[in-house]
Amino acid sequence: MERVRLQKYLADAGIASRRKAEKLIEQGRVFVNGNVAKKPGTSISKYDVAYFDGKKSENNNKYIYIMLNKPSGYITTVRDQFKRKNVLELLEKINFRVYPVGRLDYKTKGLLILTNDGDLTYKLTHPSHKIEKTYIAGVMGKVLEKDLALLRKGVDIGGYITAPAKVSLIENDGSRTLIQIVIHEGKNRQVRKMCKAVGYNVLSLKRIAIGNLRLGDLKEGKWRYLSHKEISLLGK
Ligand code: URA
């Protein structure tokens, strides 16, 4: 029967990184089948029951939740006729099949959640739930206040009028303006199309938050498991 090390088990359950899980084990905060497990080398099978701080660990090797800082130049869809690099290639050492929650364009960077939890994917992507997504767009030229106001109100992106958005100017250096755009819809290439609709080309685009979950300082191309707190921020 397959056994895994306890720290990996806890990491896969999204409780902590493997290193942190080792510390939690050493601190005596983890119990397996009712006994404190103080040795990080302890192995565990799917028939064992692990408790962390008195709560049953959710890992029956069931759901995992990951955040990735997607670099430009990767696709998030499963199939691609051009054989471009896929974000899943950045998730080395994960033995689970996870799927990106929603899409980011090939060139868009930033926060991408990956999970095998279909309920959460549905919750975060279904338009009726209106989960806010926060983007930083670098656009060509100086963006006028009147155009920010149009973006806030809603613009026509080709037969579809976007819902009111929260839009703010971050900085402008004459040739380029950084704006923050918060939308709760997920139309294809929506931010790029919104900017285009008011006359600006997007030079760079990065997602920095989904709901209350923020990308923080995770390096580009890197991923990590979400903590329990972060998973609950997403409404789990
Ligand atoms: N809007 C875009 O234009 N692209 C993305 O990847 C996400 C939102």
Side-chain angles (χ1 to χ4, degrees), residues 104-164:
L104 282 181
D105 297 337
Y106 183 62
K107 284 191 177 165
T108 303
K109 304 177 184 187
L111 178 58
L112 186 69
I113 299 170
L114 298 109
T115 184
N116 50 359
D117 179 347
D119 284 346
L120 184 71
T121 301
Y122 178 78
K123 187 157 187 285
L124 294 177
T125 53
H126 196 276
S128 67
H129 293 123
K130 299 194 172 169
I131 303 291
E132 288 188 333
K133 272 100 38 182
T134 306
Y135 295 89
I136 305 287
V139 307
M140 211 186 283
K142 184 170 169 10
V143 178
L144 304 175
E145 185 51 46
K146 75 168 176 52
D147 295 326
L148 294 176
L150 289 174
L151 289 171
R152 282 184 197 116
K153 231 174 123 199
V155 291
D156 188 341
I157 56 167
Y160 178 82
I161 312 285
T162 57

Side-chain angles (χ1 to χ4, degrees), residues 103-106 108-109 135 183 187-193 205 207:
R103 282 174 308 212
L104 282 181
D105 297 337
Y106 183 62
T108 303
K109 304 177 184 187
Y135 295 89
I183 55 173
K187 297 283 170 201
N188 193 23
R189 301 176 72 79
Q190 181 164 340
V191 173
R192 292 173 196 277
K193 285 180 184 166
L205 187 60
R207 181 157 67 192

Side-chain angles (χ1 to χ4, degrees), residues 65 79 98 128 163 198:
Y65 306 91
R79 278 195 202 88
V98 289
S128 67
V198 291

